[in-house]
Amino acid sequence: MSAAKPLAIVTGCSRGLGLAIATKLYEKGFDVAGIARSYPPPAQKKFLSHCYKCDLSQPQQVETLFHSSLKEEMKNRDRIVLVNNAGSLGPIGPTSLFGDDAMGAVASLDATIRLNVTSPMWLSGAVLREAGAEAAVRIINISSGAADSAYPGWGTYCASKAALRMSGQVLAVDASEFDELKGRDVRVFDYAPGVVDTDMQLQVRTSDVKLFPRVEKFVGLHSGGKLVKAEDSAMPVVDFALCGPGEAYTQGDMGRRVP
């Protein structure tokens, strides 16, 4: 009986960087379980072993999907990779507008935190719980320069990316200090993919300058041909997905390839 293929669970897989990551991992021999609010184009859907529709800002949907489908897919896998890619800028504008109708309801802010932080943290824990003790587990959190640099008008995005980064650092410490995780091949990669040519960047470039004063910086990056192709930005993620044992926590970006 042949061994099961390695499994990659990729969130936000229907387009942009998530689709590029899913495609590259499929080409490297992974079974890819994609999660997104919508299906990718038919031509790209072939790169997903399974594509699950799920709104990751809704915790009940995430829990139901994991226990009904993903948990079963994880069985008998020697390598399991979770790529927490899905994310949103959330409400844009000065902090003084929080709670105002122009900024959106509290529910909008809360939904962004759940999408950017809560679901990735919960999925990371669920994968660790259900993966076999001998399985190599790689958790890759798609980060941003906004995790450690404050951008005016991006309070929700900056705060959520900083929280996601810290959650990865804590997970790595957990793996070294809790008996149930000690000795397991668990590694975390916090990866800032660069300014990637995606729909999120289009949203940034078309932001109201009154709500995001630095919009011209991103307009200039686009007009100057400085955006990174999603296919190129996906490669460090693939490298880490395939890597052997090493440091529990690694932080990197487009310029750093992981051995």
Side-chain angles (χ1 to χ4, degrees):
M1 182 176 178
S2 59
K5 291 182 178 181
L7 173 68
I9 301 169
V10 182
T11 69
C13 68
S14 63
R15 58 189 178 182
L17 180 60
L19 180 57
I21 290 170
T23 301
K24 296 291 185 184
L25 289 171
Y26 178 87
E27 291 172 347
K28 291 293 185 179
F30 281 80
D31 279 338
V32 180
I35 306 173
R37 286 182 297 179
S38 60
Y39 292 125
Q44 277 74 47
K45 194 174 179 180
K46 65 183 180 182
F47 296 111
L48 302 174
S49 307
H50 292 96
C51 186
Y52 299 104
K53 286 186 72 173
C54 177
D55 184 347
L56 290 162
S57 71
Q58 301 299 317
Q60 187 173 0
Q61 288 190 31
V62 179
E63 291 183 59
T64 298
L65 171 61
F66 187 85
H67 291 296
S68 66
S69 301
L70 297 177
K71 185 175 177 179
E72 184 67 25
E73 291 213 40
M74 290 175 59
K75 288 183 177 179
N76 302 315
R77 305 281 187 170
D78 292 331
R79 177 173 292 262
I80 299 172
V81 176
L82 171 64
V83 183
N84 287 312
N85 166 72
S88 169
L89 283 173
I92 299 174
T95 305
S96 58
L97 284 184
F98 282 137
D100 187 88
D101 287 343
M103 193 68 172
V106 170
S108 176
L109 190 157
D110 183 50
T112 303
I113 297 298
R114 284 187 265 119
L115 172 62
N116 290 3
V117 185
T118 306
S119 285
M121 288 182 68
W122 190 89
L123 284 170
S124 297
V127 165
L128 280 177
R129 284 195 307 273
E130 298 301 329
E134 301 302 318
V137 177
R138 302 291 179 264
I139 294 174
I140 301 163
N141 293 326
I142 301 303
S143 186
S144 167
D148 53 19
S149 295
Y151 284 79
W154 282 8
T156 311
Y157 187 67
C158 290
S160 61
K161 285 300 182 182
L164 182 63
R165 174 170 292 176
M166 179 53 69
S167 75
Q169 293 175 0
V170 171
L171 191 158
V173 173
D174 286 349
S176 65
E177 298 194 26
F178 282 99
D179 290 341
E180 61 266 33
L181 296 174
K182 284 182 181 178
R184 291 180 58 179
D185 184 7
V186 176
R187 299 187 67 186
V188 181
F189 184 31
D190 181 278
Y191 174 59
V195 185
V196 187
D197 192 4
T198 63
D199 288 350
M200 183 180 285
Q201 277 301 310
L202 176 60
Q203 181 185 357
V204 171
R205 294 195 304 274
T206 55
S207 296
D208 186 337
V209 69
K210 294 179 180 178
L211 298 177
F212 182 51
R214 297 187 188 177
V215 65
E216 288 303 322
K217 170 187 175 181
F218 292 89
V219 170
L221 289 173
H222 178 258
S223 62
K226 299 295 180 63
L227 300 188
V228 180
K229 292 180 180 179
E231 294 77 10
D232 295 335
S233 188
M235 290 312 300
V237 174
V238 175
D239 290 345
F240 193 82
L242 294 167
C243 72
E247 294 182 3
Y249 178 82
T250 301
Q251 189 173 314
D253 54 36
M254 257 295 290
R256 179 178 181 180
R257 301 297 289 270
V258 178

